[in-house]
Amino acid sequence: MNSFVAKSPDNTKEDGGAGGVKKTGWLQKDFGQDSRQRSEFVTRDNTRGLCDLCPSIEKQLLVFPGHKCGNLQIVDLLNTKPGVSSAPFTINAHQSEIACIALNQHGSVVASASRKGILIRPFDTQTKEMLVELRSGTDPATLYCINFSHNSFLYASSDKGYVHIFALKDTSLNWRSTLAQVGKVGPVIGQYVDSQWSLASFTVLAECACICAFGKNSSKNVNSVRAVCVDGTFHKYVFSPDGNCNREAFDVYQDICDDDDF
């Protein structure tokens, strides 16, 4: 079993356990009777600690920001040799700094968003090709997180108070700009037209950070998303492939006073 430990730039230990990132790199270590460092991967300045690890036993991929702005690096941990520096393969994902990273459960798709918070781009981890360009809006936003479902959906939550849900397997379910029917347009407008909008969305309190997860489907055509917000609220929404989205449950799991300090 692979685990990780983080170290600071001066090579002193910052944090240990099942997962950790240092400011400019990853350290892969084995723990147990034979504790040793297996590999080290140098990254771009990563103050947010961005990374993701695929949970699949068959495809143990690790993704983190690359050396260049907007790049992703992916490492196959099954093929890394102890004590040998491995060369990750790189995906040129964005022109600005990476804000969010997520791998699907099979390790076949990696999605990322930049700090502009407008575009989410899923890539095939084998071919490095972008599968589709997803758009959360037209104005810059802070994306809190992105994540995959079991059955080919992806969500993105932002400080605008929206949680957007996109289809990945059947992208025809996503909304498209009406300009897409016009045909050939200029390069700038063409980028806007080619991107796809969410098939469904719901709102939480604006500028209230939240994390979400897809729930177990109640039926073939009904999917659910659960959102937990920093203000102590819990939301459960159900949506169908046709874009119909409704709140099914709401609760406050923690009473928070104005003077509480998080």
Side-chain angles (χ1 to χ4, degrees), residues 42-200:
V42 179
T43 76
R44 186 176 178 80
D45 191 9
N46 188 14
T47 56
R48 296 189 179 189
L50 298 176
C51 62
D52 200 11
L53 182 64
C54 177
S56 172
I57 298 177
E58 293 78 18
K59 203 167 187 178
Q60 297 181 20
L61 298 183
L62 172 67
V63 59
F64 46 88
H67 296 285
K68 295 182 179 180
C69 178
N71 282 10
L72 299 174
Q73 293 188 82
I74 301 179
V75 178
D76 184 353
L77 298 179
L78 288 177
N79 294 323
T80 58
K81 296 180 180 180
V84 177
S85 178
S86 300
F89 68 82
T90 302
I91 295 176
N92 299 320
H94 303 274
Q95 294 181 345
S96 56
E97 296 287 355
I98 301 292
C100 294
I101 299 173
L103 280 162
N104 69 347
Q105 294 195 353
H106 304 292
S108 58
V109 181
V110 58
S112 64
S114 74
R115 293 188 183 179
K116 290 184 178 180
I118 298 174
L119 300 176
I120 301 102
R121 291 174 173 153
F123 295 87
D124 187 303
T125 57
Q126 289 290 333
T127 65
K128 306 181 188 178
E129 293 181 356
M130 184 173 67
L131 302 176
V132 64
E133 186 174 75
L134 307 173
R135 181 176 289 272
S136 65
T138 56
D139 299 324
T142 299
L143 291 184
Y144 295 128
C145 60
I146 56 178
N147 205 355
F148 291 89
S149 72
H150 291 276
N151 55 344
S152 302
F153 289 101
L154 178 146
Y155 82 80
S157 64
S158 76
D159 64 343
K160 301 294 185 181
Y162 283 95
V163 176
H164 297 277
I165 303 166
F166 304 90
L168 293 181
K169 185 175 181 179
D170 184 3
T171 57
S172 64
L173 298 174
N174 297 325
W175 287 89
R176 298 287 299 275
S177 169
T178 54
L179 293 175
Q181 303 175 5
V182 175
K184 188 175 181 180
V185 293
V188 176
I189 298 178
Q191 294 177 0
Y192 177 88
V193 170
D194 291 339
S195 58
Q196 300 182 11
W197 301 69
S198 58
L199 71 93

Side-chain angles (χ1 to χ4, degrees), residues 182-257:
V182 175
K184 188 175 181 180
V185 293
V188 176
I189 298 178
Q191 294 177 0
Y192 177 88
V193 170
D194 291 339
S195 58
Q196 300 182 11
W197 301 69
S198 58
L199 71 93
S201 64
F202 62 88
T203 59
V204 295
L205 186 64
E207 299 183 358
C208 181
C210 73
I211 57 173
C212 307
F214 288 95
K216 186 177 180 180
N217 298 346
S218 57
S219 69
K220 183 178 180 180
N221 293 320
V222 178
N223 304 272
S224 65
V225 178
R226 294 161 172 82
V228 179
C229 303
V230 74
D231 65 349
T233 57
F234 167 84
H235 310 257
K236 179 184 177 183
Y237 280 80
V238 294
F239 69 95
S240 56
D242 62 3
N244 187 30
C245 186
N246 296 290
R247 190 167 74 179
E248 190 174 78
F250 172 81
D251 202 354
V252 179
Y253 67 89
Q254 182 179 354
D255 292 329
I256 301 175
C257 300

